Amino acid sequence: MADQSSIKPNTDFNLKAISPSIGARTATSHGGITSATDLVETTLFLYMRIVRAEDLPSIRGRNTRGPNVEVRVGALKTTTMCFTGNSNPEWNQVFALEISRIQEPTLEILVKDKIPRYGDIMGKLSFAISEIPTRVPTDSSLAPQWYWLEDQKGTRLGKLMLSIWIGTQADAAFPEARHLESGMVNTYDVLNTHSQIYLPPRIWCLRVDLIQAQDLVDEDIAGNSEVFVQATLGSLTFRSKLVNKNEGNPKWNEDMFFAVLEPFDQHLFLSVEQGTMNNHRSIGKCSIPLKNADKRLDGAPSDAQWHNLERPDNITEVENNARAIINSRLNMRLSLDGGYHLFDEDPCFSSDFNPTVKRLWRSNIGTFELGILNASGLPAMKGGNRTDAYCVAKYGPKWVRTRTIVDSLNPKWNEQYSWDVYDPCTFITIAVFDNGYLHEVQGDHIAMDAKIGKVRINLSEMKTNRIYAYFFPLTELHPSGLKKMGEIQLAFRFCCPKMGNLLNIYRMPKLPRLHFSNPLSRTQLSGLRKQTIMLLSSRMSKTEPAWRREVVSYMLDSDERLWSMRRGRADFERIKAVMSGFVALHTQYNNICEWKNWASSSIVGVIVSFLIFVPRIMLIGILFGLILDIIFQYLKRPSLLSHVDLQVSQVNAVSLDELEEEFDPIPSKFEDRIIRLRYDRLRIVLGRLSAEMGKVATKVEKLQSYVTWQDPIATLIFMVLCLISGIVTLITPIQLIIWFCFMYLLIHPLFRSPMPTLFENWVSRMPSKLDSMI
């Protein structure tokens, strides 16, 4: 097991502020086109929409046509889909090419037959690129026109409907356009390279409140055996607790929770099982459509309903329906709660706190705008030193995906997106992936989109209406250590038109009202989050283009967090940092009490005496001191937004062995010897932690024993002292008592005994529960 550091030397993980040439910072633009691209570099594209063709000739005989269109600019080319046996094909496909990549003055459009060895060209068009018109995003779409196709002799061979224009990435055709740079990608895989915005359907919380069953019948097992209810929805199955059958009338009074997607077209299957959890059989079943469940917004309990149970062995026999229906019934409440917020992300980094039902949402307070400019220094994720990179961003329920830049380690996207903001104390997540579905898969290898790196931005750290532009390092922690996977350039801003709405948010609870009026436990929220992630992964994997499960899992941090020596050390250092102020205060207090500095101790004595006898100014002094400290901290505020901190994360001090342990799944994949060593190390760490916790508990228990009569003599003495102290307090001003106590603490060490104080001696003799532990 290696001990060396996990970080390569001279690796720069710092956040870098930049000044890109984006529309919001430039005085001039391309034809004034900056409204939808002011956070990215405005890029001009040559767009070609191939609509359809008519009256194409047949070169090799009747019904042998297989026309497709090839778009060519110099060495860059791509083709449309092919329609066999059709002389009037309709494609309606859009192609795009970045103007800066054009080296030739002419655009060629060729209509070809499907068999390339014949070299059959049905017709050809040529356009001078300098003559192509420019379309402003505010204009309506350019109407396509018919063009006659001609051969080399000038003979007309049919006609082609198309439109050609020059526009920016803000053009409405940009998301669906096939870029000529991706010409090497198979035509049927091109859809996987398009940009996309996805809004998932609403997810509701289904509450199943099991109350009781009535008249359960079973002829084979004694009436006092245990029963439980098994609830199944889709691929999820939950079981209630085991209860006594109670002569056929068991009671549960237990809630089960499911996350369900709209529309509610599923059925909830309930089965009453008799026996143990490992050995049981059904004694009654029922099926309930989800659309029949009550929809609740305010948490008011729905009405309980009785549901008849059917015998499972006869449920499919239509001719025995009279025997299948028995008198057994199940009493329960079934409700769809739309007032909860079901987390899909880690609650510590959530981008949304709104409930399911939109009419319960708060008013939006502003807009977050994000410009995804480019990335640099990405690693080669495939053979041949290539990476097909795309970017995913998520905020609230809205997911966005940029187009895939094929075969580039320094991709440029220059795409801009925006989200409505309902709470400033939220995070946006941006990640870069390598598209693994664009090329043929070799052997048994399973195609997957490989993660490259992820960035989180905290909106609460941002100043409103200010543009931020940074190079974010893409870091990824591997079992072999922390690696820098390149950098991504982002420009973003948080626009808030009314500051009053923003300030009002800080007085409101983060979660919806139902989380407080009818709260869910931490375990229930965690279980609902796992279900929500599973539902989103399943639904998003069926879109076109598909959102891969590994992408959704990485964006939502779905991996369960296990024990990590690195994280344990990091959390301990965080606690030390939080407590450092109290430690410094205690150290200063000891220095004052020991008169290490005569001037400081004398001044503190005079000030505290003054505050004791004139307490009115004490609170004012504390508040003004806090204001001065805040002003002083403002001068030292960080100039950059927070990002990955290697020191806080304890990545610098972690060994490769600890990283291997952190990424080790359950059950472990390592041999027994390594597991034994790690287990022994964990026992030592937890043993020390347990010992310190035990010391704290012992001290508290010794103080509690003053009033519990565990030591009768000590308790009697304490009661007498309380009586004397009460009498003294009645006849002596409280300020004088406090001043006397403080002066006692400020006694100079020359007049102090080196022995422990009376109170310390007394506490050390008091009993605790440690005396009763084995």
Side-chain angles (χ1 to χ4, degrees):
M1 294 185 291
D3 294 329
Q4 64 268 28
S5 173
S6 61
I7 303 179
K8 293 182 179 180
N10 302 323
T11 304
D12 185 9
F13 292 94
N14 295 323
L15 192 66
K16 303 172 186 174
I18 54 175
S19 298
S21 301
I22 58 179
R25 290 181 173 175
T26 54
T28 60
S29 61
H30 298 282
I33 309 174
T34 60
S35 58
T37 58
D38 58 343
L39 291 182
V40 294
E41 297 176 358
T42 303
T43 307
L44 295 179
F45 288 87
L46 172 62
Y47 288 97
M48 300 143 280
R49 182 183 292 275
I50 310 298
V51 183
R52 58 194 178 96
E54 286 186 359
D55 303 327
L56 296 179
S58 178
I59 297 178
R60 299 184 304 277
R62 186 178 182 183
N63 293 329
T64 58
R65 307 175 187 86
N68 64 348
V69 178
E70 179 180 291
V71 179
R72 181 189 300 171
V73 179
L76 298 173
K77 62 181 180 179
T78 189
T79 60
T80 64
M81 298 176 63
C82 179
F83 295 96
T84 305
N86 191 343
S87 60
N88 300 297
E90 185 170 343
W91 295 282
N92 199 27
Q93 289 184 250
V94 181
F95 302 92
L97 176 62
E98 191 174 338
I99 291 293
S100 61
R101 302 193 58 162
I102 296 178
Q103 304 293 331
E104 299 292 329
T106 305
L107 164 67
E108 294 183 323
I109 297 178
L110 294 81
V111 181
K112 290 186 172 184
D113 209 342
K114 66 177 181 179
I115 302 179
R117 67 174 180 265
Y118 288 97
D120 296 335
I121 297 178
M122 297 183 178
K124 177 180 178 182
L125 292 172
S126 296
F127 297 90
I129 295 177
S130 60
E131 302 296 327
I132 296 176
T134 299
R135 175 180 172 271
V136 179
T138 54
D139 295 342
S140 58
S141 59
L142 194 65
Q145 301 181 39
W146 286 105
Y147 294 88
W148 286 104
L149 296 170
E150 298 179 350
D151 59 11
Q152 295 179 351
K153 298 179 181 179
T155 305
R156 293 183 174 182
L157 302 174
K159 53 185 179 179
L160 181 67
M161 177 183 281
L162 57 86
S163 56
I164 306 173
W165 72 96
I166 293 176
T168 69
Q169 63 267 49
D171 200 289
F174 182 81
E176 60 176 312
R178 176 175 180 177
H179 292 258
L180 267 65
E181 301 94 313
S182 62
M184 63 185 73
V185 179
N186 187 290
T187 301
Y188 298 98
D189 291 331
V190 168
L191 191 61
N192 287 319
T193 66
H194 287 173
S195 57
Q196 186 189 44
I197 296 177
Y198 181 71
L199 289 170
R202 295 187 297 179
I203 300 179
W204 291 66
C205 173
L206 174 66
R207 183 191 294 265
V208 183
D209 183 6
L210 298 173
I211 302 175
Q212 61 179 340
Q214 189 179 79
D215 299 332
L216 295 181
V217 179
D218 183 65
E219 300 84 1
D220 301 325
I221 301 179
N224 60 355
S225 61
E226 292 184 317
V227 293
F228 64 91
V229 176
Q230 182 169 283
T232 302
L233 181 65
S235 60
L236 289 175
T237 298
F238 291 135
R239 293 177 176 178
S240 71
K241 61 187 177 183
L242 280 167
V243 298
N244 192 285
K245 194 174 180 183
N246 192 24
E247 298 182 353
N249 300 294
K251 295 183 179 180
W252 289 278
N253 292 317
E254 180 180 355
D255 287 337
M256 295 181 183
F257 294 91
F258 293 88
V260 293
L261 279 168
E262 291 182 340
F264 309 118
D265 53 0
Q266 292 179 293
H267 283 69
L268 175 67
F269 296 94
L270 297 168
S271 174
V272 180
E273 304 284 326
Q274 184 169 0
T276 64
M277 288 293 184
N278 298 323
N279 183 19
H280 55 85
R281 66 185 187 85
S282 177
I283 59 175
K285 291 184 176 181
C286 67
S287 172
I288 306 172
L290 291 187
K291 62 183 179 181
N292 295 341
D294 294 333
K295 290 186 177 181
R296 303 190 309 169
L297 304 181
D298 56 358
S302 58
D303 296 332
Q305 296 182 354
W306 289 98
H307 299 271
N308 292 327
L309 297 176
E310 299 178 349
R311 280 197 182 279
D313 53 347
N314 293 335
I315 197 168
T316 60
E317 299 181 9
V318 179
E319 66 275 15
N320 291 330
N321 274 342
R323 295 175 53 197
I325 305 299
I326 59 178
N327 293 326
S328 300
R329 298 189 301 170
L330 184 63
N331 189 17
M332 56 183 290
R333 294 185 181 93
L334 191 66
S335 61
L336 290 163
D337 295 339
Y340 289 113
H341 171 74
L342 300 188
F343 287 97
D344 51 2
E345 303 154 305
D346 187 331
C348 297
F349 306 107
S350 181
S351 62
D352 182 26
F353 297 106
N354 282 321
T356 300
V357 179
K358 193 166 185 178
R359 63 189 175 95
L360 298 180
W361 291 11
R362 299 167 181 158
S363 300
N364 69 309
I365 59 173
T367 304
F368 179 81
E369 297 175 318
L370 172 68
I372 305 174
L373 284 81
N374 58 68
S376 61
L378 300 184
M381 306 298 291
K382 300 187 183 75
N385 196 35
R386 61 177 296 131
T387 293
D388 305 321
Y390 69 91
C391 192
V392 174
K394 179 190 182 298
Y395 184 78
K398 181 178 176 180
W399 298 64
V400 301
R401 169 177 171 166
T402 68
R403 72 188 191 279
T404 299
I405 306 298
V406 179
D407 192 16
S408 176
L409 302 183
N410 301 286
K412 292 184 178 181
W413 294 287
N414 284 311
E415 298 182 29
Q416 182 171 331
Y417 301 93
S418 62
W419 291 263
D420 288 335
V421 177
Y422 296 88
D423 194 312
C425 303
T426 47
F427 293 79
I428 183 171
T429 303
I430 305 106
V432 181
F433 297 89
D434 173 61
N435 198 326
Y437 292 82
L438 301 185
H439 307 283
E440 294 184 2
V441 179
Q442 303 295 332
D444 297 331
H445 177 71
I446 300 176
M448 295 183 68
D449 287 354
K451 58 187 179 184
I452 296 178
K454 181 163 57 178
V455 171
R456 280 196 183 98
I457 301 173
N458 187 351
L459 270 65
S460 64
E461 296 183 6
M462 300 171 55
K463 295 181 179 179
T464 58
N465 304 315
R466 172 185 168 182
I467 295 177
Y468 294 84
Y470 292 112
F471 254 130
F472 286 89
L474 295 170
T475 57
E476 190 66 23
L477 190 62
H478 296 272
S480 57
L482 183 69
K483 295 183 179 179
K484 183 177 180 180
M485 309 291 283
E487 294 178 319
I488 183 170
Q489 185 177 347
L490 304 173
F492 48 92
R493 68 182 168 203
F494 172 32
C495 299
C496 181
K498 295 182 179 180
M499 186 59 63
N501 294 341
L502 177 62
L503 299 177
N504 186 48
I505 286 293
Y506 282 88
R507 71 171 185 85
M508 298 181 179
K510 293 179 70 173
L511 293 174
R513 180 185 297 273
L514 195 56
H515 282 267
F516 304 97
S517 61
N518 196 358
L520 300 177
S521 68
R522 187 183 297 269
T523 303
Q524 291 167 341
L525 287 173
S526 177
L528 286 170
R529 178 175 177 246
K530 292 178 182 178
Q531 296 181 48
T532 301
I533 294 175
M534 183 181 68
L535 289 174
L536 284 176
S537 299
S538 176
R539 181 60 63 93
M540 295 175 71
S541 65
K542 299 174 183 177
T543 61
E544 291 293 340
W547 293 73
R548 310 299 175 183
R549 293 180 183 269
E550 60 271 18
V551 173
V552 177
S553 176
Y554 183 62
M555 292 292 293
L556 299 180
D557 290 322
S558 66
D559 295 335
E560 190 171 0
R561 187 169 294 173
L562 304 177
W563 161 252
S564 165
M565 182 70 74
R566 176 188 65 83
R567 279 191 167 273
R569 190 185 300 114
D571 290 337
F572 178 72
E573 292 297 329
R574 289 171 60 199
I575 293 174
K576 283 177 58 178
V578 170
M579 300 299 295
S580 61
F582 299 99
V583 173
L585 187 62
H586 183 265
T587 303
Q588 188 66 25
Y589 166 76
N590 287 335
N591 293 337
I592 292 172
C593 291
E594 294 175 3
W595 290 77
K596 291 187 175 181
N597 187 314
W598 278 77
S600 298
S601 299
S602 302
I603 293 173
V604 169
V606 173
I607 293 175
V608 173
S609 299
F610 181 74
L611 293 176
I612 289 173
F613 290 102
V614 190
R616 184 177 301 175
I617 66 170
M618 183 183 298
L619 181 59
I620 298 175
I622 293 174
L623 294 177
F624 274 98
L626 188 58
I627 292 173
L628 290 175
D629 183 65
I630 292 173
I631 294 174
F632 180 71
Q633 293 295 333
Y634 178 80
L635 300 176
K636 300 190 298 182
R637 72 190 187 282
S639 58
L640 303 177
L641 299 181
S642 60
H643 188 52
V644 174
D645 192 318
L646 303 187
Q647 185 175 358
V648 172
S649 305
Q650 289 291 304
V651 179
N652 291 319
V654 70
S655 66
L656 296 182
D657 173 51
E658 292 174 350
L659 285 176
E660 289 178 348
E661 180 185 20
E662 183 172 346
F663 285 90
D664 189 20
I666 294 179
S668 177
K669 63 181 180 181
F670 290 97
E671 58 184 12
D672 294 344
R673 181 182 62 86
I674 297 177
I675 296 176
R676 191 178 299 112
L677 289 174
R678 291 174 177 171
Y679 175 65
D680 291 341
R681 180 176 62 191
L682 182 60
R683 289 175 62 195
I684 293 172
V685 172
L686 295 182
R688 292 173 180 171
L689 178 61
S690 176
E692 294 300 322
M693 293 170 61
K695 290 179 182 178
V696 174
T698 299
K699 290 182 178 179
V700 175
E701 289 168 357
K702 285 178 177 290
L703 294 175
Q704 290 176 340
S705 65
Y706 278 118
V707 297
T708 58
W709 293 91
Q710 287 179 269
D711 186 337
I713 297 176
T715 302
L716 186 61
I717 295 173
F718 181 73
M719 186 171 60
V720 172
L721 288 177
C722 288
L723 178 61
I724 296 172
S725 300
I727 295 173
V728 172
T729 304
L730 284 174
I731 63 177
T732 308
I734 188 65
Q735 292 94 335
L736 188 61
I737 296 175
I738 297 174
W739 179 81
F740 178 79
C741 294
F742 181 73
M743 289 297 107
Y744 174 77
L745 296 175
L746 278 181
I747 294 176
H748 194 276
L750 293 176
F751 306 102
R752 244 185 242 169
S753 172
M755 302 301 291
T757 63
L758 176 64
F759 180 72
E760 291 173 337
N761 292 331
W762 193 9
V763 171
S764 66
R765 296 176 182 275
M766 297 302 293
S768 69
K769 292 182 180 179
L770 181 64
D771 309 334
S772 305
M773 290 184 62
I774 298 176

